[in-house]
Amino acid sequence: MTRLPSGGRIDRSRTIECTVDGVPLRGHPGDTLASALLAAGRLEVAPSTYLGRPRGIVTADSGEPNALVQVLDAPEPMVPATEVELRDGLAALSLSGVGRADPGGEQRCEKRYRHADVVVIGAGPAGLAAALAAGRGGARVFLVERHRELGGALLDGDERIDGAPGVEWVARAASELAALPETRVLTRATVAGHYDHGYLLVAEHSAPEQRPAWQRLWHLRAQRVVLATGARERPIAFPGNDRPGVMLAGAVRRYLRRFGVRAGERVVVCTTGDSAYATAFDLVAAGASVPLLVDARSEPPPALQARARDVGIRVRTGASVVGTSGAHRVSEVRVADINDPGRAEVVECDLVAVGGGWNPAVELARGPLTWDPEVSAFVPEQDAAVGAARGAFGLADCLAQGFAAGAAASTATGFGASAPQAPVVEGDPAQSRDHPLWSVVGDEVESFVDLQRDVTVADVRRAVDAGLRSPEHVKRYTTLGTGSDQGATSNVLGLGVLAALLGLDSPGASGATTARPPARPLRFELLAGRDRGALHDPVRTTPMHDWHVRAGAVFENVGQWKRPRHYPKPGEDMAAAVLRECAAARTGVAMMDATTLGKIDVVGPDAGEFLNRVYTNGFAKLAVGKARYGMMCTADGMVFDDGVTMRLAPDHYLMSTTTGNAAAVLDWLEEWLQTEWPELSVHCTSVTEQWATIAVAGPDSRAVLARVAPELDVSAAGFGFMEFRNTLLRNGIPARISRISFSGELAFEINVASWYGQAAWDAVFADGADFGITPYGTETMHVLRAEKGFVIVGQDTDGTVTPLDLGMDWVISKRKDFIGKRSFARPDTARAGRKQLVGLLPVDRDVLLPEGAQLVEPAASRTPPVPMQGHVTSSYRSAALGRTFALALIRDGRRRVGEVLHAPLGDRELAVEVTDPVFYDPEGARRDGHQPG
Amino acid sequence: MLQIPCPWCGNRDEVEFRYGGQAQVAYPEDPVALSDAEWAEYLFVRANPRGRHAERWVHSDGCRRWFDVVRDTATNEFAS
Ligand SMILES: [Zn+2]
C-alpha cells in the first residue's frame, strides 16, 4: 500500500468499496478511481490501443491518456479514471482505447439556459480572484470549475496568502462567492465548448453520493469570458517514456498532496524547469527516496540545487533520462548528458516523475495563439486569459491578473468595479525559465509523443519525410492529438518534436493546431437531454387522428405531420390495401383526411396583385367564389410549390400549399412582401391548423355530398368544377365545400373549423356507408394523381425543374410578369435536351420500377461513365390500368415517347416504354361524375 | 452560436433566425430589359468577402421581420 498514514483532502473516516474489472477496490470519499488504484499499488492500466504496450496512469487530471474506464453502473462510456469520483458500488471496466456505446435512458440528463455578464472558467487562484472582483461589482457571474473543490493548484502547494495557508484563502473566497446574490459557482462542471458571442456549453455532473446520478448541460451566454483554465504539464519524448511508472511530476505531487498517495518509493525526477523540484521535496518529505533529479538546464537556480542537496537529493544538470527498463513497470532508467547521450548512467527506481514544462490550457481561447519564448508555450493573445492559462505561473501574478480581469469584465458589462488590492503572498518563489526539451536522441520508435494514439517520434519523422510541414497536416497524417483526450498532454510536445525535425527554432515558427469543440467528449445523451423519444420532435396530428388510429391506419411522416398512408384490412399488405382504396375512388366513393395541406390567408386590397406576382398564372381576375390551381417558381424559374387558391372575397384569398412546404411558402410570401414590395398592402397568415379538410372522391361522391350537405345544390350544373360554396352540413356544422379534384374523379373538399373535423368526418363516413365509402391514405392519393399525370412538387420535381419541363406550359401567363418569368428565356432553361416529365410503362407489366432508378439507352456501353438519360420519380401499381406504371424525368423526354429505355438494377435490366404522362382518362371526362338521371 | 441583433426584439440566438443572403440585391425593376448576363448576375452572383459583409436575416421564430446587418465573416462580429 502506498496510502500515506495522514494528509490529503480525503475523508478517511469512511471507506468506499467498489470494483474495477471485477476486482474489489477500496478508497475514501474524495478519492478518484485513479488515486484509489494508485493507493492500492495498481499503477498499470489496460494496454495501449494500437500497439498493445503496457501502460500506466500518467496524470491526475482530465487529460489522462491511458487510464480510461467504462463505468458500468452509471453508465458512462470511456472516461478517464482521473475524473471518476469514488463511490460505493462503483463498477468500472478498464478500457484499451475503445469504449462501448450505451443507449442510455437510465440517467437524468437535463438542460439549463442562462445569461451571464461574466463567466470565469476555472477556479484556481486566478479564477477565484476574477470571480470575486467581478461578483463584488454586482455582475451576474458564473464560476465554472471542473473539479469537486475550488482552489486549483493552491490545494497542492505551501503558498500563504495574507499570512494564512492558501486553502484558507480558498475557503474564504468560496464563502464570499456563495454569499454574492448574483454569483453562481458550478463545480464538477466542464466547459466543453466556447462558441461565438460568448456562448458556452457546460457539462455538469452530480456529486457521487447523489443517487440517482444526474447530468446537466448548461447553455450559457456570457458577455465576458475570463479564461482561468490553468496549465498542463507536458512530457518529454525519450525512449521508453510510455512505460508504466513514468508519470508527470505535477501529478505525482497532486497524488501526494490531495489524496495522500505516494505513487512510488524510489523516484527519479526528470525536469526542464523549477516546478518538479517541489515534487522531489514533497516525495522526500513523504518518506520516498529520490536518488536523482535530472535537470536539462545546465545552470538551474542555485537555491533549488542547494535545497536539494540539503535533503539528500543528487542533482545532475544538462542531462535527461534517455531510456527506461522494466517488465510491467519501470525498474531502472538510463541518464545521460544531453550533449553526450552515448554514455549513460543507470539508476534503479520504480517511478519517473517527468516535468517537461507547462502548456497553458488554451483550447477554449477564441483568439489567436502566439508562442511565448519566456514560458516556451503557446499563449492566448487576448488578455481575457489570466494566470497559468496566460503563462503566468507565480501565485502573485495569478491573483493580480485575476483581480484585474474580473474587475475589467464587470466594468465592461456595466457594473462598477475596481481591482482589489493584491494580497501579500509568501512561499511563491520566482520562477526561472524552462529549458524546453522535446525529445532526446535515441530510439524514435520507442519515444512516444501521443500515448493515446501510440504516435512516436518516428511517426512524426515519417510525416516530415513524406514532405508534410504544416502542423495540421502532420496531425492528420499521424493522428497525433486526435484521441479522446484531444491531445491534452501530447499536442504541444508533438509540435515541439515537429519543429525540431524541421530545424525550426520553436513550435512558434510553425504555429499551433486549431482546437475545436468539444474540448472533452460529451455524451449524446447529455446533448439530447429530454429531447428524445416522443419529445425529440414535435408531432402534428389532425383532429381526426384518433379515428385513423382506431381504423388501423399505417402512418407516414410528412414534415412533422402524421398522415395515414393506407388502411390495411386484416391480411392485406400495403400493395393490396392501396389497390382496394384506389378501386373505391375510381368506381365508388372514398374519403381522405387532407387537413395537413398548408393553408394561408392572403388578405388586403393588393392581394390579387400580389398573387399575380408570386404565381406563374393569373389570380387578380379570379372571380369571387372560384378556385384556381396555381404554381410558384423561384427567381431562377424552378418550380417551388403548387396548390389551389380560392378567392373568398375581393380582398381575401385562401391559398393552399403542399403539406411539407407550408412554412417555406409563408416565409417566401413574407420575404417578398417585406423586402421587395413593401408598397403592397397585403397580410399573410397561416391558417393550416384552423381548418380540417375532408376530400371525398369518386363517382358516388355527389350522392354522399347530397346527404352530408342537404342545403347544397351538388348537381354538375349547380356546382361547377373549381367552385366553392359555404353551407351548413346536416349536423349543423358550417362548412366551405369546394369542387376540386386531385384524382381526376368527381371530388369535393369539405373544409370545417378544426374543432368540427371529427364530427364532419363522422357524418361523411356514416352517409357514405351504404356506398361502401372507403378511407384512403397518402399512398392511394399518390397513385390516383400519378395515373392522371399530376405532379407532386418535391417528388417529381427537385429544384432543377421548370413548369415547362413538366409540360405545364398552360400555367405560365404570357400577359404579366411574375417571379421567375425572366428565367424562362435564359439559355439554360430554353435549351433543348432538358429533362422533361414523361410516363413509363415497364415492358413486363408486373415489374415495379424503384423510384430513383436511373434510365439509360439500351445500346449504350455499360462501362462507366454510362450516359444517364433520366430517372424515375414516381412508380406504382395501378388498379385502373391493371399494371404497373411510373413517372420519370428524361432528357428530351417528350420527343422520345414510344422509345424503349433500360433501367439497370444490379444484374437485371428492366425495359420500359416512354409514354405520355397522363395514363388515365386523358379527356377529363370523369371529373363531373354521374349525371343525376 | 451567433447572437443576432434583431432591430425589433434585441439580441436573440441564431436558432431563431434564417439567413437571407447578401443584403441590397434588389429585384430588377424590369427583368425583361436585362440581358441574359445581367439577369444571371442578379440570380447567381453574390459577394463572399472575408471581412465586412452586408447580409439579410429574418427573425423567423420571433417577430418574423426581415432586416439588414453588417457582419464580419472572419470574426462574426456585427457592426452596429
Ligand atoms: Zn425580432
Side-chain angles (χ1 to χ4, degrees), chain A residues 115 195-197 199 221 635-636 666-667 670-672 674-676 817-820 822-823 825-827, chain B residues 1-3 13 18 25-27 31-32 34-36 39-40 42-44 56 64-66 75-78:
Chain A
H115 287 261
Y195 304 86
D196 287 300
H197 301 161
Y199 199 77
R221 178 73 79 174
D636 58 5
L666 181 63
D667 285 356
E670 288 181 336
E671 177 177 352
W672 286 87
Q674 288 186 41
T675 66
E676 296 294 345
D817 192 20
F818 55 84
I819 299 170
R822 174 67 182 80
S823 289
R826 287 185 64 238
Chain B
M1 188 194 301
L2 301 186
Q3 193 177 44
D13 280 352
R18 186 165 66 78
V25 182
Y27 189 74
V32 180
L34 300 184
S35 69
D36 283 342
W39 179 248
Y42 160 73
L43 284 178
F44 303 123
R56 306 186 310 153
R64 297 192 67 80
R65 299 285 290 268
W66 283 87
T75 65
N76 275 335
E77 291 307 316
F78 289 98

Side-chain angles (χ1 to χ4, degrees), chain B residues 4-67:
Chain B
I4 297 173
C6 172
W8 318 102
C9 308
N11 286 331
R12 290 289 190 276
D13 280 352
E14 183 183 345
V15 289
E16 297 182 12
F17 295 83
R18 186 165 66 78
Y19 179 55
Q22 185 181 351
Q24 279 123 37
V25 182
Y27 189 74
E29 282 289 324
D30 183 7
V32 180
L34 300 184
S35 69
D36 283 342
E38 288 166 332
W39 179 248
E41 175 90 8
Y42 160 73
L43 284 178
F44 303 123
V45 180
R46 296 293 182 272
N48 184 25
R50 184 181 198 279
R52 288 167 63 85
H53 186 226
E55 31 188 57
R56 306 186 310 153
W57 291 81
V58 59
H59 192 190
S60 41
D61 285 358
C63 62
R64 297 192 67 80
R65 299 285 290 268
W66 283 87
F67 58 92

Side-chain angles (χ1 to χ4, degrees), chain A residues 254-429:
Chain A
R254 174 165 292 178
Y255 284 117
L256 272 177
R257 289 280 184 149
R258 228 176 259 196
F259 303 101
V261 171
R262 196 170 59 209
E265 305 302 314
R266 188 176 166 84
V267 187
V268 168
V269 177
C270 173
T271 188
T272 62
D274 293 351
S275 65
Y277 283 78
T279 303
F281 300 148
D282 279 358
L283 281 165
V284 170
S289 77
V290 179
L292 182 64
L293 188 154
V294 201
D295 195 327
R297 299 173 294 185
S298 51
E299 291 177 0
L304 286 176
Q305 296 194 61
R307 189 173 162 199
R309 215 167 29 242
D310 288 349
V311 297
I313 300 173
R314 179 164 69 95
V315 176
R316 184 169 167 183
T317 62
S320 172
V321 170
V322 297
T324 69
S325 310
H328 278 271
R329 177 171 185 154
V330 64
S331 59
E332 59 182 37
V333 294
R334 288 180 298 287
V335 176
D337 285 355
I338 292 169
N339 295 326
D340 185 12
R343 288 188 309 174
E345 73 172 298
V346 174
V347 184
E348 277 184 32
C349 63
D350 61 357
L351 193 73
V352 186
V354 177
W358 295 82
N359 302 315
V362 292
E363 65 271 13
L364 296 173
R366 287 193 55 83
L369 303 174
T370 51
W371 181 258
D372 183 344
E374 283 297 314
V375 296
S376 300
F378 287 101
V379 297
E381 265 180 28
Q382 65 203 31
D383 54 8
V386 292
R390 180 179 173 175
F393 300 114
L395 176 56
D397 286 343
C398 288
L399 293 173
Q401 289 177 8
F403 281 136
S410 179
T411 305
T413 56
F415 295 87
S418 54
Q421 189 77 37
V424 177
V425 170
E426 302 161 64
D428 183 20

